[in-house]
């Protein structure tokens, strides 16, 4: 690996980490407050101020961070100290590294150097995502077990059962998509969506609905938040967590939202592609700026479009969260195994028939 | 945990012990008022022991130290989500003991305030149930509706939560100017909020799954355990004190008693939702028909007259003095008067020895018998089912523990 590639990779990793932890995690905390406030006829958080400037409540994320850093890190008596400390780390890391294979732009040639806007262009990108997201289960289960609290234990058990079940269903929902694009590489899948009529959502919208349901269930948010159901299990697996460890679970949840949105964008919404315009046409539109600058502009537009779609899907997830009540734990299981799993198998069959008969032309 | 309630065979067979877990008193769903000692097998409730009394204030004993009129603020704190209904129940019981009847206008005012309080109670209950099932948005909608109802009540008596509005032989003040327009506009908003809430939950599959077939009780069991109110009506028994033993002017009003079929949580929810509409109907009818005239009994022995009368009439002066110092001298005897509270039949059993203070003031709290039936209802179902069931039984700590 040359110096240029190394710098490129480090910049991309920095960009993704900055985007998720630095930007989206605190922004989502704010959006969650403000969007719920709008949906509920409230004003929402607007009191934290800096010399009188409240910046429409944005400073609350900062205030939260400062408060939580200075909070006592409490480990209950009888808890497994090492695992109790390790659990939030195990929970947060998979959600971050799953983003490595999600392309947030296409391939661009800038000053003779080819830039591929994905951290790791793996041939088995889709499988990698599922492999990594299963790891997140460990963090939750360990947290529930190591806390020495019955509520945490119940939450951890619920979480493990739920996450493993939906892992299976989620994997099956994208099989049809993989058959359609004939690739497991996220970069390939995005590249094949340059034509609007090849977008995943056009051909595979049932798979999208199922995938989103599974993804939200993986992330344990309402309506699938049985593992942390505050009315039943106090706070479920993170009942005994305080301070920054608590925030790490929280951050993991928000980053996972971003990852889910990123996956949906890459698999179903054409990644960085602008509808009806291919990358080449986009760069061609700015050809008067010279080949390098026009590619740079196309790249920035591509990244911007990706982030725009990401935000739209994040808002969709937030809206679901603030509209729905919570499933009961056994109903979640029933939905996963008896509804989503057969439906996704059916969809695989339909896609197979469609591809064989040529009704569903593979791009 | 009582031994008799344990399902020993199961544990002997499975060679395991139940996970004993304390749910409450400081648990998000029990909010400090009650404790469940649960024996869980997985998530199935094998054993439940309900411990009440965390909000016990000695209400009944306290009343014995108060003058008859001084009990009113204490009754506010029984079912504090619908406090005017308790005021009315107590006032009617005392009036029954004395043998007086309040003027027609006062009856109408009491019905209006009572129904507004019932609405506030139902808004709180339904909203909180939605909240505890994770639907925070629906909860906020009903909190807004409740705020608006409280605004009306505040315009009448100055208090929002603990109204302390009713007195023996009358009420403390007449309805303010523009009351009817105020109520009309609030009801318009609240019907909109009701429709929003209804759209968010009633046909929501997730909500239906959580409520349907959970916490069901048969009508026979319900009657046996002493259920009243929405929980009894959800079982298909159309018992409502307002219809069965009409008090005030309920026999002249046109309203319906919603009745469920299955006695499960969803029917309890539907009954309460419909009662909100019926309460609005009652208030609107009352506002249309309300006659003029006095709001208090014209007898200084029972109800304190206006200051003008006190300073100009000898008898008023005497009774003002005597009632303030010694209390209203309620004739010796005993009386029981029940009213339909937000939760069910709120009954006041009073004993007087002719003095200025009650000798005994016993309350029949509607949620106490229902809470005692909770083990019967919930044993064998999942931990998650305890939440909607407990919400729909609507244990109000102030009322249950007194």
């Amino acid at each position: 690996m040359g110096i240029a590639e190394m710098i490129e990779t480090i910049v991309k990793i920095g960009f993704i980490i900055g985007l998720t932890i630095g930007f989206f995690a605190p922004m989502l905390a704010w959006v969650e407050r403000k969007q719920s406030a709008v949906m509920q006829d409230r004003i929402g958080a607007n009191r934290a101020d800096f010399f009188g400037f409240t910046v429409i409540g944005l400073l609350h994320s900062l205030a939260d961070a400062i408060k939580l850093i200075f909070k006592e890190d409490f480990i209950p008596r009888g808890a497994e100290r090492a695992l109790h400390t390790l659990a939030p780390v195990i929970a947060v890391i998979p959600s971050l590294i799953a983003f490595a294979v999600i392309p947030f732009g296409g391939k661009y040639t800038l000053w003779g150097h080819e830039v591929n806007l994905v951290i790791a262009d793996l041939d088995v990108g889709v499988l990698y995502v599922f492999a990594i997201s299963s790891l997140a289960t460990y963090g939750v289960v360990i947290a529930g077990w190591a806390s020495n609290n019955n509520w945490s234990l119940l939450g951890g058990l619920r979480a493990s059962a739920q996450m493993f079940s939906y892992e299976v269903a989620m994997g099956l929902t994208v099989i049809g998509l993989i058959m359609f694009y004939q690739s497991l590489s996220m970069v390939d899948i995005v590249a094949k969506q340059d034509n609007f009529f090849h977008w995943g959502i056009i051909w595979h919208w049932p798979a999208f609905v199922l995938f989103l349901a599974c993804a939200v269930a993986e992330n344990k948010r309402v309506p699938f938040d049985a593992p942390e159901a505050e009315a039943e299990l106090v706070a479920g697996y993170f009942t005994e967590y305080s301070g920054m460890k608590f925030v790490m679970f929280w951050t993991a949840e928000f980053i996972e939202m971003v990852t889910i949105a990123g996956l949906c964008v890459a698999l179903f919404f054409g990644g960085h592609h602008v509808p009806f315009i291919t990358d080449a046409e986009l760069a061609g539109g700015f050809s008067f700026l010279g080949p390098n600058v026009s590619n740079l502009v196309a790249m920035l537009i591509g990244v911007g479009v990706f982030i725009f779609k990401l935000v739209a899907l994040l808002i969709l997830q937030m809206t679901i969260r603030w509209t729905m009540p919570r499933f009961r734990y056994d109903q979640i299981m029933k939905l996963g195994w008896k509804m989503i799993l057969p439906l996704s198998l059916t969809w695989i069959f339909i896609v197979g028939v469609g591809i064989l008969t040529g009704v569903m032309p593979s791009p | 945990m009582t031994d008799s309630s344990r399902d020993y065979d199961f544990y002997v067979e499975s060679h395991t012990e139940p996970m004993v877990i304390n749910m409450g008193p400081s648990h998000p769903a029990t909010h400090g008022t009650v404790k469940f000692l649960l024996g869980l097998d997985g998530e199935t409730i094998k054993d439940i022991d309900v411990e009440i009394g965390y909000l016990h204030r000695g209400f009944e004993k306290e009343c014995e130290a108060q003058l008859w009129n001084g009990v009113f603020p204490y009754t506010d704190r029984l079912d504090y989500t619908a406090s005017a209904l308790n005021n009315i129940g107590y006032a009617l019981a005392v009036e029954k003991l004395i043998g007086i009847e309040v003027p027609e206008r006062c009856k109408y005012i009491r019905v209006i305030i009572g129904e507004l309080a019932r609405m506030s109670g139902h808004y709180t209950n339904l909203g909180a149930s939605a909240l505890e099932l994770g639907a925070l948005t629906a909860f906020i909608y009903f909190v807004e509706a409740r705020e608006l109802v409280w605004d009306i009540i505040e315009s009448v008596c100055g208090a929002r939560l603990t109204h302390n509005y009713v007195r023996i032989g009358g009420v403390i003040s007449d309805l303010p100017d523009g009351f009817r327009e105020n109520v009309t506009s609030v009801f318009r908003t609240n019907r909109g909020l009701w429709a929003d809430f209804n759209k968010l939950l009633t046909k929501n599959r997730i909500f239906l799954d959580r409520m349907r077939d959970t916490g069901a009780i048969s009508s026979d069991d319900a009657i046996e355990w002493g259920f009243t109110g929405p929980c009894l009506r959800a079982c298909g028994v159309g018992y409502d004190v307002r219809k069965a033993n009409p008090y005030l002017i309920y026999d002249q009003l046109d309203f319906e008693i919603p009745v469920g079929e299955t006695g499960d949580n969803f029917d309890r929810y539907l009954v309460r939702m419909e009662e909100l509409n019926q309460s609005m109907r009652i208030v609107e009818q009352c506002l249309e028909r309300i006659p003029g005239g006095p709001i208090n009994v014209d007898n200084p022995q029972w109800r304190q007259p206006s200051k003008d009368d006190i300073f100009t009439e000898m008898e008023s002066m005497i009774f003002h003095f005597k009632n303030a110092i010694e209390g209203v001298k309620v004739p010796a005897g005993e009386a029981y008067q029940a009213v339909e509270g937000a939760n069910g039949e709120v009954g006041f059993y009073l004993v007087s020895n002719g003095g200025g203070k009650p000798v005994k003031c016993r309350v029949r709290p509607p949620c106490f018998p229902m809470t005692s039936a909770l083990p019967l209802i919930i044993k064998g179902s999942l931990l998650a089912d305890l939440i909607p069931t407990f919400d729909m039984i609507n244990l109000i700590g102030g009322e249950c523990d007194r």
Side-chain angles (χ1 to χ4, degrees):
Chain A
M1 188 189 271
I3 295 288
E5 280 83 9
M6 214 184 286
I7 293 173
E8 186 199 322
T9 310
I10 290 169
V11 168
K12 285 189 291 200
I13 292 174
F15 174 75
I16 287 300
I17 289 185
L19 190 73
T20 49
I21 294 191
F23 179 72
F24 272 120
M27 277 303 279
L28 282 175
W30 175 76
V31 171
E32 181 133 83
R33 283 178 175 141
K34 277 294 181 189
Q35 189 179 348
S36 63
V38 169
M39 287 174 72
Q40 297 167 357
D41 294 350
R42 293 186 288 118
I43 296 168
N46 67 347
R47 294 301 163 91
D49 70 304
F50 190 70
F51 296 114
F53 294 100
T54 57
V55 207
I56 48 172
L58 271 171
L59 290 173
H60 273 270
S61 304
L62 194 66
D64 280 346
I66 294 170
K67 182 193 83 168
L68 288 158
I69 286 170
F70 287 104
K71 274 222 160 170
E72 184 192 355
D73 175 27
F74 181 77
I75 299 177
R77 191 174 46 189
E80 196 76 33
R81 294 187 75 88
L83 289 179
H84 187 271
T85 311
L86 200 61
V89 182
I90 301 178
V92 83
I93 284 181
S95 50
L96 255 183
I97 54 179
F99 218 101
V101 294
I102 299 174
F104 49 95
K107 286 180 188 163
Y108 307 93
T109 313
L110 302 175
W111 290 281
H113 178 76
E114 178 153 289
V115 179
N116 188 1
L117 286 186
V118 59
I119 294 173
D121 181 6
L122 293 184
D123 289 341
V124 290
V126 179
L127 293 183
Y128 168 86
V129 170
F130 292 128
I132 292 299
S133 61
S134 330
L135 284 179
T137 318
Y138 287 102
V140 174
V141 176
I142 290 172
W145 184 77
S147 295
N148 189 31
N149 178 321
N150 282 347
W151 297 116
S152 302
L153 182 64
L154 283 176
L157 289 174
R158 280 183 178 191
S160 58
Q162 174 178 331
M163 288 169 85
F164 282 126
S165 309
Y166 277 83
E167 202 71 54
V168 177
M170 189 158 116
L172 286 174
T173 51
V174 292
I175 298 277
L177 210 72
I178 293 166
M179 284 154 64
F180 183 69
Y181 292 118
Q182 295 173 343
S183 172
L184 276 169
S185 155
M186 300 285 268
V187 175
D188 278 0
I189 291 177
V190 170
K192 285 179 178 172
Q193 298 185 50
D194 57 348
N195 181 338
F196 179 69
F197 296 105
H198 291 155
W199 278 22
I201 189 75
I202 303 289
W203 290 99
H204 296 273
W205 59 266
F208 170 69
V209 175
L210 297 174
F211 179 81
L212 190 67
C214 291
V216 175
E218 274 285 294
N219 196 12
K220 309 175 290 298
R221 280 174 69 82
V222 173
F224 298 97
D225 72 335
E228 56 195 74
E230 79 280 346
E232 294 154 30
L233 302 185
V234 189
Y237 56 89
F238 56 72
T239 305
E240 294 288 3
Y241 281 88
S242 56
M244 279 316 278
K245 287 185 195 163
F246 170 74
V247 179
M248 281 171 88
F249 280 116
W250 223 45
T251 317
E253 186 178 310
F254 282 139
I255 293 174
E256 208 161 315
M257 275 179 72
V258 182
T259 310
I260 290 167
L263 268 175
C264 289
V265 171
L267 292 175
F268 295 100
F269 290 94
H272 62 284
H273 290 294
V274 188
F276 305 111
I277 303 173
T278 61
D279 280 355
E281 284 166 5
L282 192 63
F286 295 98
S287 56
F288 58 90
L289 296 168
N292 290 318
V293 180
S294 67
N295 275 345
L296 187 68
V297 171
M299 179 174 105
L300 292 178
I301 290 177
V303 174
V305 167
F306 176 80
I307 291 177
F308 174 80
K309 291 174 182 172
L310 203 66
V311 169
L313 279 161
L314 286 173
I315 288 176
L316 174 68
Q317 289 185 56
M318 286 283 184
T319 313
I320 294 172
R321 190 247 173 278
W322 290 107
T323 311
M324 294 290 182
R326 170 187 311 124
F327 275 109
R328 200 171 65 197
Y329 162 67
D330 62 321
Q331 290 161 353
I332 294 183
M333 288 295 145
K334 221 173 272 172
L335 181 77
W337 289 106
K338 291 189 179 168
M339 300 279 295
I340 295 184
L341 195 77
L343 278 175
S344 44
L345 286 172
T346 316
W347 183 245
I348 293 172
F349 178 75
I350 293 172
V351 173
V353 171
I355 291 173
L356 265 184
T357 53
V359 179
M360 219 182 242
S362 240
Chain B
M1 207 176 281
T2 52
D3 281 352
S4 60
S5 61
R6 281 209 174 155
D7 189 358
Y8 275 114
D9 291 347
F10 172 80
Y11 302 115
V12 172
E13 275 166 28
S14 56
H15 307 288
T16 57
E17 282 191 0
M19 181 160 101
V20 177
I21 195 164
N22 270 311
M23 191 167 180
S26 54
H27 180 281
T30 60
H31 29 76
T33 57
V34 64
K35 184 179 109 177
F36 304 118
L37 193 58
L38 301 172
L40 293 182
D41 166 39
E43 292 225 0
T44 313
I45 298 174
K46 285 286 168 190
D47 202 357
I48 177 171
D49 208 22
V50 186
E51 264 180 44
I52 59 166
Y54 287 89
L55 225 58
H56 178 63
R57 310 170 309 283
F59 164 81
E60 288 170 8
K61 192 71 192 161
E62 191 72 49
C63 291
E64 294 168 18
Q66 302 299 324
L67 302 181
W68 286 99
N69 260 325
V71 172
F72 280 105
Y74 293 93
T75 62
D76 277 336
R77 279 124 184 111
L78 290 170
D79 181 355
Y80 39 78
T81 60
S83 41
L85 285 166
N86 308 319
N87 289 172
I88 293 166
Y90 174 73
L92 287 174
V94 179
E95 283 155 15
K96 197 172 181 181
L97 208 50
I98 300 174
I100 51 172
E101 203 165 311
V102 290
E104 201 69 0
R105 183 173 175 81
C106 176
K107 289 181 182 172
Y108 275 90
I109 294 177
R110 283 182 179 182
V111 167
I112 292 171
I113 294 297
E115 292 305 321
L116 288 174
R118 186 188 318 282
M119 284 168 65
S120 132
H122 283 353
Y123 282 137
T124 314
N125 173 249
L126 293 168
S129 309
L131 168 72
E132 283 173 2
L133 294 182
L136 185 64
T137 304
F139 166 68
I140 301 273
Y141 285 171
F142 262 11
V143 165
E144 189 184 343
R146 188 183 70 176
E147 286 296 312
L148 294 170
V149 168
W150 281 358
D151 283 345
I152 307 178
I153 295 176
E154 190 186 13
S155 76
V156 178
C157 64
R160 293 167 73 79
L161 187 67
T162 50
H163 309 140
N164 189 16
Y165 175 59
V166 184
R167 289 290 176 276
I168 299 167
V171 291
I172 55 170
S173 58
D174 207 339
L175 299 177
D177 295 336
F179 181 76
R180 192 172 166 180
E181 293 73 46
N182 202 353
V183 169
T184 314
S185 79
V186 164
F187 278 9
R188 199 178 307 123
T189 319
N190 279 10
R191 286 200 167 103
L193 289 166
W194 187 93
D196 286 348
F197 189 92
N198 194 34
K199 262 184 260 169
L200 272 173
L201 292 181
T202 305
K203 284 182 183 165
N204 185 323
R205 182 58 199 270
I206 302 174
F207 186 74
L208 255 162
D209 282 351
R210 288 301 299 272
M211 303 291 269
R212 238 318 149 231
D213 297 331
T214 60
I217 187 167
S218 70
S219 57
D220 291 344
D221 276 344
I223 293 170
E224 217 158 90
W225 280 86
F227 275 44
T228 47
C231 291
L232 177 66
R233 292 194 281 276
C235 304
V237 183
Y239 173 75
D240 187 312
V241 186
R242 290 174 293 176
K243 286 277 190 201
N245 292 304
Y247 52 96
L248 296 172
I249 46 149
Y250 280 112
D251 48 349
Q252 301 159 30
L253 294 170
D254 177 27
F255 65 102
E256 274 147 37
I257 302 297
V259 171
E261 278 175 6
T262 56
D264 61 7
N265 288 328
F266 192 63
D267 275 11
R268 290 174 191 151
Y269 161 86
L270 289 180
V271 165
R272 283 204 171 90
M273 285 295 271
E274 183 52 32
E275 279 190 21
L276 280 172
N277 288 335
Q278 297 299 331
S279 287
M280 288 194 212
R281 225 175 117 190
I282 292 172
V283 172
E284 278 164 354
Q285 283 176 44
C286 287
L287 284 174
E288 230 160 74
R289 296 189 201 162
I290 186 165
I295 55 164
N296 289 316
V297 172
D298 186 20
N299 184 344
Q301 191 181 354
W302 310 122
R303 173 75 184 121
Q304 179 182 321
S306 69
K307 284 285 177 197
D308 284 347
D309 287 351
I310 290 171
F311 293 136
T312 53
E313 289 174 13
M314 179 52 95
E315 206 186 16
S316 299
M317 179 73 177
I318 292 168
F319 274 114
H320 175 230
F321 182 76
K322 283 186 79 74
N323 286 350
I325 302 293
E326 296 171 357
V328 179
K329 291 277 172 49
V330 173
E334 51 184 63
Y336 177 80
Q337 173 70 45
V339 294
E340 183 69 22
N343 244 350
E345 180 178 326
V346 185
F348 284 87
Y349 170 68
L350 302 175
V351 180
S352 171
N353 61 358
K357 294 171 181 175
V359 171
K360 176 73 188 164
C361 173
R362 152 84 189 152
V363 178
R364 183 214 181 271
C367 62
F368 179 75
M370 298 193 272
T371 311
S372 17
L374 196 59
L376 171 83
I377 299 176
I378 208 69
K379 225 178 257 185
S381 49
L382 290 171
L383 172 65
D385 286 338
L386 183 58
I387 307 304
T389 310
F390 179 60
D391 283 333
M392 280 295 133
I393 277 186
N394 195 14
L395 180 140
I396 305 280
E399 182 182 71
C400 186
D401 299 346
R402 305 188 297 290

